Amino acid sequence: MNAPVIVTDAIVIQAIRHTDTTMVVTLLTQELGRIAMVVSSNRRSRKQSVIPLLAPLSLVSIEAYMHKSTRMPRITEIHCRYPLATLHFNAVRRSIAMFISELLVRTLRDEGRDENLYNMIDDSIRMLDGGLEGESNFHILFMYKLASVLGFEPDIAATSYPFFDMEEGCMTSQIPFHRHYLSGEEKALFVRLARADIAHLADIAQNVEERTTLIKILEDYFRLHIPQFEGLNSPYILSLLR
């Protein structure tokens, strides 16, 4: 009996060398959600190498099969379905892609198909590749939007309240009975982010200090709402983007 074949569009999240001739690729697929697969890297044959297709956030289409004797599906065909013109060559956008890749590795779980999540990430990659005014703030807005899609969108409706309760994810008129809350300039900066959209990226953070503060706030917010989230390694470099 033939092994079932999986055919789907996908977003490359991460690719790690497994053996001399294979790599383990973490993908967000349109049909199956997040999944890890094995692919032959053909290191000795540049003509057949798939490595250029495995850069973080590459948009690909794949064909794979699951055999009973293997732990992970094996990719048999992989093709570029949308050529990214700048993402992997522009220094700022490449750094942002690395940040988003790490963020997705640490937040997404194997929970099956999620069309809204897939479309949000796919659309975001295309927009970043096309170039945006204020793009050095792109990863900050992306992280905020990811929280919304994952189900813990901050509620900032009551902006007149002086505090934002990070645990409850909402504004409050009273200081919470815990230390996870925002007030003063931090609260105002977070509200500015929450009100922003892709057309006003440049307004989110005006300088390195504001960018650093927002990344720290978002990391703390993710830690509170995703138990397995351990923080990121790449924010420092991105905080220096001008």
Side-chain angles (χ1 to χ4, degrees), residues 198-209:
I198 200 70
H200 300 91
L201 277 176
D203 297 334
I204 293 173
Q206 307 296 318
N207 51 51
V208 171
E209 289 73 22

Side-chain angles (χ1 to χ4, degrees), residues 81-149:
R81 63 178 169 85
Y82 184 89
L84 297 172
T86 69
L87 190 67
H88 300 130
F89 308 102
N90 176 282
V92 171
R93 294 169 203 165
R94 184 171 64 247
S95 297
I96 292 172
M98 292 174 62
F99 175 94
I100 292 175
S101 171
E102 184 187 4
L103 176 65
L104 297 178
V105 166
R106 294 177 182 268
T107 56
L108 302 187
R109 293 297 173 259
D110 303 336
E111 297 176 349
R113 176 174 178 157
D114 186 329
E115 186 174 354
N116 289 335
L117 174 67
Y118 182 89
N119 289 339
M120 187 279 284
I121 297 174
D122 190 278
D123 291 344
S124 296
I125 294 168
R126 294 170 191 247
M127 284 189 287
L128 180 61
D129 183 64
L132 297 160
E133 183 178 355
E135 65 184 14
S136 56
N137 289 328
F138 182 88
H139 57 296
I140 299 174
L141 182 61
F142 178 90
M143 196 170 183
Y144 184 90
K145 298 296 184 185
L146 182 63
S148 301
V149 176

